[in-house]
């Protein structure tokens, strides 16, 4: 079962390796992004950042296949971008929970602040809104489980990205 899916451009970092893993109780972390899955350095470094938690760095196709083959396991999927998560949702994967982590501004685009940690341009805003449709139109960002959630859709609207 996909216990939790998150978008986070930093992928694995201290908050994910400690706070989120403890809160979720997942067996392993799956990092999902086509380019990252082909980067040998990141495939080596990301598991080290997870502090002993098993990590797989997979393409979108391989993430879908792995999740379907391991439905009995408690999985935590981290997608680098909202487009990665949207593709998995379109393919029928159904996480129990969804959260937006850090989404860094993209250089050379008109990225706008949605929260203190989430920036997005109009293309990413469309992806976030499409993701929200899978969760009743709601989408929140929470940096750690202890933080209050921020409404991503309200932030996107406030910035005029819809």
């Amino acid at each position: 079962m996909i216990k939790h899916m998150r978008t986070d451009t930093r992928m694995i970092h201290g908050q994910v390796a400690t706070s989120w893993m403890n809160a979720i109780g997942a067996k392993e972390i799956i990092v999902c992004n086509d380019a990252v899955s082909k980067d040998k350095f990141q495939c080596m470094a990301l598991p080290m950042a997870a502090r002993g938690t098993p990590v797989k760095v997979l393409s979108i196709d391989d993430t879908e296949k792995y999740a379907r083959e391991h439905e009995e396991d408690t999985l935590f999927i981290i997608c680098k971008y909202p487009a990665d998560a949207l593709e998995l949702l379109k393919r029928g994967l159904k996480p129990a929970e969804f959260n937006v982590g850090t989404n860094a501004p993209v250089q050379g685009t008109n990225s706008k602040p949605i929260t203190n940690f989430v920036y997005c341009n109009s293309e990413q805003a469309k992806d976030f809104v499409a993701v929200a449709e899978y969760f009743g139109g709601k989408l929140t960002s929470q940096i750690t489980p202890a933080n209050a959630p921020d409404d991503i859709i309200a932030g996107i609207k406030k910035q005029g990205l819809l």
Side-chain angles (χ1 to χ4, degrees):
M1 155 177 105
I2 303 168
K3 172 74 175 182
H4 195 92
M5 186 181 290
R6 174 182 175 93
T7 61
D8 195 321
T9 53
R10 297 183 298 166
M11 295 169 289
I12 300 176
H13 48 81
Q15 293 160 337
V16 165
T18 56
S19 297
W20 282 108
M21 283 304 293
N22 288 337
I24 294 167
K27 175 187 171 193
E28 62 188 323
I29 297 172
I30 309 299
V31 173
C32 176
N33 178 267
D34 289 344
V36 173
S37 72
K38 295 174 187 170
D39 183 320
K40 289 180 183 180
F41 177 76
Q42 289 196 55
C43 287
M44 178 189 66
L46 286 167
M48 289 190 285
R51 302 177 185 189
T53 299
V55 173
K56 291 189 175 23
V57 182
L58 304 173
S59 66
I60 291 170
D61 288 340
D62 290 340
T63 298
E64 176 191 11
K65 181 180 177 188
Y66 188 84
R68 292 192 190 286
E69 291 173 351
H70 294 86
E71 289 181 355
E72 71 285 351
D73 295 338
T74 304
L75 304 176
F76 178 16
I77 297 177
I78 302 172
C79 298
K80 185 167 184 177
Y81 300 115
D84 301 328
L86 180 58
E87 183 59 31
L88 292 174
L89 295 169
K90 285 179 179 178
R91 293 179 183 201
L93 295 187
K94 295 180 177 153
E97 303 167 346
F98 193 97
N99 175 42
V100 177
T102 299
N103 197 68
V106 178
Q107 283 187 311
T109 69
N110 191 20
S111 292
K112 295 182 178 181
I114 305 305
T115 72
N116 289 338
F117 302 97
V118 178
Y119 288 73
C120 68
N121 56 39
S122 59
E123 182 179 325
Q124 291 174 324
K126 288 176 188 171
D127 290 338
F128 279 132
V129 169
V131 166
E133 290 176 13
Y134 287 88
F135 301 95
K138 297 179 182 179
L139 188 62
T140 59
S141 174
Q142 211 171 344
I143 297 306
T144 70
N147 294 102
D150 290 312
D151 185 337
I152 294 298
I153 303 305
I156 287 171
K157 288 177 181 176
K158 183 177 177 181
Q159 288 294 350
L161 291 169
L162 284 179

